[in-house]
Amino acid sequence: MSCFLQAPVAHTILSSASSCRTVRRTKALKLRCGALGAKNAAKIPMPPINPKDPFLSKLASVASSSPEALHNGSANPDTPPFLDLFESPKLMATPAQVERSVSYNEHRPRSPPPDLPSLLLNGRIVYIGMPLVPAVTELVVAELMYLQWMDPKQPIYLYINSTGTTRDDGETVGMETEGFAIYDALMQLQNEIHTVAVGAAIGQACLLLSAGTKGKRFMMPHAKAMIQQPRVPSSGLMPASDVLIRAKEVIINRDTLVELLAKHTGNSIEAVAEVMRRPFYMDANRAKEFGVIDKILWRGQEKVMAEVASPEEWDKNAGIKVMDGF
C-alpha cells in the first residue's frame, strides 16, 4: 500500500519541477524577444510628426497619461481603433483649415485659394477682357477705387483686351457712357496708370489705352488697336422722333470721343475726326506713331525694327533702279 501511494506523489513532484522549468524558459525567451524587438525598433526611422495634428496630439496625450487605454482597445467592436478616445466625433479639421502630417503632405494650403481676379487685384492689376457692359464697368470702377484706397502712391496696371461697347461683329452691346465712366474714374485717381493692350483695344477700349500715364502706355507686339465712330443702338419700334433724338446723342458722343483721343494722342481734332470717318486699325508700330501708346512690349523688338532697312534702301543695295511713275 505504501509503495502504491508513493509512486503518484513522486510523479507529481517531477511534473511540478518540469512545469517550473518550462515557465522560466518561456519568460527568458520573452525577455530575449523583447530586447531584440527593442533593439530592432531603435533602428527603424520614424517619420516626423506634425505637432499641430489634433489626432496625433490626442494619442500622445492618452499614451502618456493612461497607456492602458491604448492596450485595452475599443469597447465597441464596430468602432475603428482609438476613435472612442475622443469626446467629439470631429477628429480632424478640414484640409483647408489645418496642415496635415508633414510626413506625407507638408505643403497643403491652409485656406481655400482665392479666385483669379482677386489674385490679380492683389498684384494691383485690373484686367478688362470683355466688352464694356454695365457689369464690367461696375467691377472695373470698384477695383480702381479700392486700389487707390489701399495705396494712392503705387501704380495701377490696366490690361485691356476688349472690343469696347460693341461685339467683334460690330453689334452694339453697351452704351458709350460705359467707357466714359471708366475713363472718368481713371482721371480721378492719384496713382500712375500703366495701360497695356493685349489682343484688341477697339473704340472706347482704345480711349482707355491712350488715357494711361504718359510714358506708361504699352502694347503687345501683335495686339491691335482701332478707333471708330460710335454706333446707333437698335431702334426697334421707336417712332421717328425718338430715333432722331438718339442719333443726336450718338453724334455728341462721337465729338466727345474725338476730343479725348486728340488730347491723349497729341493729334489735332481734325486729324482724329478724319481717320475716324471709317474704322481705323493700328498695329503696335502704327499705334505708337499715332500717339496711342509709348512703347511696344517686346524684348529687343524696337532695336530690330530700327535696324530694318527701308524698301528704298533694299532696292538701292540690290542695284535696282526705280523708274519714275512706279
Side-chain angles (χ1 to χ4, degrees):
M1 176 67 69
S2 59
C3 294
F4 179 78
L5 292 176
Q6 289 177 359
V9 172
H11 179 72
T12 303
I13 293 174
L14 292 175
S15 300
S16 300
S18 177
S19 299
C20 292
R21 285 194 296 270
T22 303
V23 171
R24 285 196 297 268
R25 290 174 183 172
T26 304
K27 289 182 178 180
L29 181 60
K30 288 183 177 180
L31 290 176
R32 292 195 203 99
C33 292
L36 182 61
K39 184 177 181 180
N40 293 335
K43 297 180 180 180
I44 299 176
M46 295 297 294
I49 298 177
N50 183 9
K52 298 180 181 180
D53 192 321
F55 184 82
L56 299 179
S57 300
K58 181 65 177 179
L59 286 180
S61 176
V62 173
S64 60
S65 60
S66 55
E68 64 279 359
L70 300 178
H71 294 291
N72 295 337
S74 176
N76 186 2
D78 298 330
T79 304
F82 308 134
L83 290 191
D84 56 338
L85 303 177
F86 297 86
E87 299 176 357
S88 172
K90 184 179 179 181
L91 306 182
M92 296 288 291
T94 60
Q97 292 175 342
V98 65
E99 183 183 4
R100 293 292 184 90
S101 176
V102 295
S103 60
Y104 64 90
N105 193 355
E106 60 177 323
H107 300 293
R108 197 178 190 92
R110 298 189 180 186
S111 59
D115 57 308
L116 186 56
S118 298
L119 290 174
L120 295 177
L121 189 64
N122 187 56
R124 304 188 65 81
I125 296 175
V126 178
Y127 178 59
I128 303 178
M130 296 178 61
L132 302 180
V133 295
V136 174
T137 302
E138 176 186 2
L139 178 61
V140 171
V141 172
E143 289 181 337
L144 294 174
M145 296 171 61
Y146 171 77
L147 291 176
Q148 179 185 234
W149 175 78
M150 286 293 295
D151 193 339
K153 297 182 180 180
Q154 292 295 323
I156 298 174
Y157 304 91
L158 182 63
Y159 285 72
I160 301 171
N161 181 21
S162 173
T163 56
T165 55
T166 62
R167 295 193 314 194
D168 53 357
D169 59 357
E171 182 180 351
T172 302
V173 294
M175 298 180 64
E176 297 298 315
T177 51
E178 304 296 339
F180 292 144
I182 299 177
Y183 172 83
D184 290 338
L186 290 175
M187 295 299 101
Q188 296 298 322
L189 297 178
Q190 304 175 18
N191 312 71
E192 279 191 353
I193 306 298
H194 297 202
T195 55
V196 183
V198 288
I202 297 176
Q204 292 279 356
C206 186
L207 171 63
L208 300 180
L209 173 63
S210 66
T213 304
K214 289 289 185 180
K216 306 296 183 181
R217 303 173 301 175
F218 307 99
M219 197 168 180
M220 294 296 181
H222 301 106
K224 293 288 184 180
M226 189 265 276
I227 53 177
Q228 62 181 353
Q229 298 188 41
R231 298 176 180 269
V232 180
S234 177
S235 58
L237 300 177
M238 289 184 179
S241 57
D242 292 354
V243 173
L244 180 60
I245 293 173
R246 180 166 289 191
K248 291 180 178 179
E249 181 64 21
V250 171
I251 294 175
I252 293 174
N253 291 334
R254 180 201 63 187
D255 295 341
T256 303
L257 181 60
V258 169
E259 293 176 2
L260 295 177
L261 283 172
K263 171 185 175 181
H264 292 287
T265 60
N267 296 292
S268 64
I269 294 179
E270 293 75 15
V272 176
E274 179 64 25
V275 298
M276 277 185 58
R277 293 174 62 88
R278 303 298 299 168
F280 181 60
Y281 285 89
M282 296 172 282
D283 59 10
N285 293 310
R286 196 170 187 180
K288 183 179 179 181
E289 295 173 359
F290 194 74
V292 176
I293 62 170
D294 303 303
K295 188 176 181 181
I296 303 172
L297 288 180
W298 189 0
R299 294 181 180 177
Q301 190 269 350
E302 292 184 341
K303 181 179 179 181
V304 171
M305 295 302 296
E307 295 176 352
V308 175
S310 64
E312 293 78 10
E313 293 177 352
W314 276 103
D315 294 339
K316 182 179 179 180
N317 296 333
I320 301 175
K321 295 182 178 180
V322 181
M323 301 177 62
D324 295 339
F326 289 93

